[in-house]
Amino acid sequence: MAKLEYIWLDGYKPTQSLRSKTKIEGDFSGKLEDCPNWSFDGSSTEQAPGGSSDCVLKPVFICPDPQRKDAYLVMCEVLDSKGQPHESNGRAHIDDDDNDFWFGFEQEYFLWDPETNKPLGFPANGYPGPQGPYYCSVGAKNAFGREIVEEHLDACLDAGLNVEGINAEVAAGQWEFQIFAKGAKEAGDQIWVARYLLERIGEKYGVSINWHCKPLGQLDWNGSGMHANFSNTTLRTAGDENVYKKILEAFRPVVAEHIAVYGADNDQRLTGKHETASIHDYSYGVSDRGASIRIPLYTVQKGWKGYLEDRRPNSAADPYKVAARIIKTVKSVK
Ligand code: ADP
Ligand code: MN
Ligand code: MN
Ligand code: MN
C-alpha cells in the first residue's frame, strides 16, 4: 500500500494556498504515469460553484515523501469539469515545453508564532534589536527556528528536490532557501513541494509560515522576496552585451503585466528601500541590488554568458505565473 499525497493550489485571490489529500494505492510503481487523475470539491476551494463542484487533479510531478511511511508527494494541476486548465492553473500557461528555461528561485519567508502573531525571536511586547546581526547569524541571540529550517532542508534533499542552499535572512525569524531546476515547470513544481514540506514541518512545532511580502508593515524590517534567476540558451551563450540589453529593454513596457503576477501587496515591499527598486520604476544594472533586474557580476565576467535576476517577485508569488510571464517577455525579443 502506498500513500499518495495529491497537492494542488486553491482558487483564493490574490494569493493561492496549498491544499492536499491522501490517496491510497495498492501495488504502486512510484511513477508519475501510474498516478490516476482524481477529483475534489472545488466549491470548498473557490474553484467551482456548489451545484457543479467537481474539479480534476492531474498529476504532473512526483517525489518520495521523506517523512511518511511508504509515501509520495504528487503535485497536481487543476482542471475544470470539462478537462480544461482551471483559471487558477498558472502552470498550464508556461511556454517552455523544451525545458530551455532554467530558473533558480530564492524563497524567503518568516517563521511565525501564531500565539504572539509575530516572527520567532520577537518578544510578545515590543521588538528585538534592530536589523544587522540576524543575516547569516549563528547563536541563540540572533538565529531563531533553526531546528525547523534544518529539518526542512533534510526533507527537501531526501525528496530529491534540488535545493542549492539556505540562509538566515536580514530580519529576525526570516529565512531563505534556493531551488534551481532546468525547465520552468519543474522549478515551479519543486518550489511548491518545498513550500508544502515547510508548512507541514511547521505544524509539528506549532509554528506557521508567513509568506506575506511585508508582514511587519512599514517598519524598518526587510520584506520577503522570491528573486527569480533565469536563463535560456540565448542568455547562456550570447557573448554580447547588446543581446542582453535587448532582452532587458523588452521588460520595460510590460512592468504592469509583470507586477500583476509578482505577488500580492508588492507595493508595500518594492519601496526603493531595503534592497528593492520602487514598484513604479524599471531599472537594471550590473551587481545592482537596488535595481528591478540585477545582472550578476558572474554573467559579465563570463563575457555576457549567464543569467539575469528579476528581484521584484515576492515571497507569496506563484512561481508558475512568475516563470510564465518572464518567458513570455524574453521570447517576445526576436
Ligand atoms: P543572491 O542572494 O546573491 O541573489 P543566490 O546564491 O541566493 O544569490 O541565488 C542565485 C540563484 O541563481 C541560485 O538559485 C542559482 O541556482 C541561480 N542560477 C545560477 N545560474 C543560473 C542560470 N544559468 N540560470 C538560472 N538560474 C541560475
Ligand atoms: Mn539569496
Ligand atoms: Mn535573500
Ligand atoms: Mn537574490
Side-chain angles (χ1 to χ4, degrees):
M1 291 293 173
K3 302 183 205 108
L4 277 60
E5 194 69 10
Y6 275 48
I7 303 168
W8 74 97
L9 305 181
D10 68 22
Y12 277 71
K13 289 173 183 164
T15 302
Q16 294 173 260
S17 291
L18 288 159
R19 306 286 177 131
S20 76
K21 58 176 184 168
T22 307
K23 191 175 202 323
I24 304 297
E25 287 280 306
D27 229 2
F28 180 62
S29 68
K31 294 193 183 121
L32 183 65
E33 61 258 36
D34 292 320
C35 297
N37 282 8
W38 201 16
S39 59
F40 69 97
D41 168 15
S43 73
S44 297
T45 59
E46 307 264 298
Q47 281 161 313
S52 170
S53 63
D54 276 359
C55 289
V56 175
L57 295 173
K58 176 190 161 200
V60 292
F61 174 89
I62 189 169
C63 64
D65 185 335
Q67 298 194 308
R68 208 175 179 199
K69 197 171 151 229
D70 300 326
Y72 297 86
L73 301 169
V74 181
M75 193 68 209
C76 299
E77 281 189 26
V78 174
L79 310 180
D80 64 22
S81 53
K82 298 190 190 79
Q84 295 303 309
H86 190 272
E87 65 141 338
S88 63
N89 179 350
R91 190 183 188 278
H93 301 290
I94 297 176
D95 177 14
D96 185 38
D97 288 343
D98 58 358
N99 295 330
D100 186 44
F101 275 82
W102 301 355
F103 274 87
F105 290 108
E106 303 169 55
Q107 174 74 63
E108 295 177 341
Y109 60 93
F110 278 87
L111 294 175
W112 204 261
D113 183 336
E115 280 176 18
T116 60
N117 197 26
K118 290 183 173 178
L120 295 195
F122 275 53
N125 296 302
Y127 295 92
Q131 289 188 166
Y134 306 112
Y135 173 73
C136 295
S137 61
V138 62
K141 186 167 188 291
N142 294 320
F144 306 101
R146 189 184 299 276
E147 57 188 342
I148 299 172
V149 174
E150 289 292 338
E151 188 171 330
H152 177 245
L153 176 59
D154 279 336
C156 287
L157 294 174
D158 290 347
L161 305 185
N162 193 43
V163 179
E164 294 211 313
I166 56 170
N167 60 273
E169 266 303 337
V170 173
Q174 189 187 32
W175 296 82
E176 168 178 316
F177 62 85
Q178 303 104 33
I179 285 186
F180 171 83
K182 296 180 176 178
K185 289 178 185 166
E186 168 96 16
D189 295 337
Q190 291 202 21
I191 284 285
W192 276 116
V193 169
R195 287 181 179 179
Y196 174 86
L197 285 167
L198 186 56
E199 292 274 15
R200 204 179 63 184
I201 290 164
E203 289 175 15
K204 254 171 64 178
Y205 294 87
V207 169
S208 67
I209 313 304
N210 195 326
W211 305 104
H212 192 272
C213 69
K214 203 72 186 178
L216 295 161
Q218 294 310 314
L219 297 165
D220 205 11
W221 294 98
N222 272 31
S224 297
M226 185 181 65
H227 298 165
N229 301 273
F230 62 94
S231 64
N232 64 350
T233 298
T234 305
L235 288 164
R236 288 190 292 271
T237 61
D240 179 352
E241 181 175 356
N242 286 319
V243 172
Y244 270 77
K245 282 247 164 84
K246 252 176 123 173
I247 290 172
L248 286 160
E249 284 301 329
F251 282 75
R252 192 181 294 283
V254 287
V255 167
E257 289 85 344
H258 280 257
I259 293 297
V261 293
Y262 279 5
D265 300 326
N266 222 358
D267 55 316
Q268 296 173 26
R269 166 177 165 264
L270 296 178
T271 55
K273 287 192 275 185
H274 301 115
E275 297 180 55
T276 69
S278 162
I279 197 166
H280 306 293
D281 298 339
Y282 173 72
S283 59
Y284 54 86
V286 177
S287 285
D288 187 352
R289 285 168 198 274
S292 313
I293 296 186
R294 176 173 67 104
I295 306 163
L297 190 56
Y298 166 93
T299 295
V300 180
Q301 284 171 341
K302 293 268 162 183
W304 297 92
K305 293 179 185 177
Y307 64 101
L308 292 169
E309 178 192 47
D310 194 332
R311 299 177 59 79
R312 297 170 296 172
N314 78 32
S315 46
D318 174 358
Y320 296 139
K321 297 204 186 99
V322 171
R325 184 61 241 189
I326 288 173
I327 291 168
K328 191 171 177 185
T329 300
V330 173
K331 282 193 170 180
S332 73
V333 179
K334 290 284 174 274

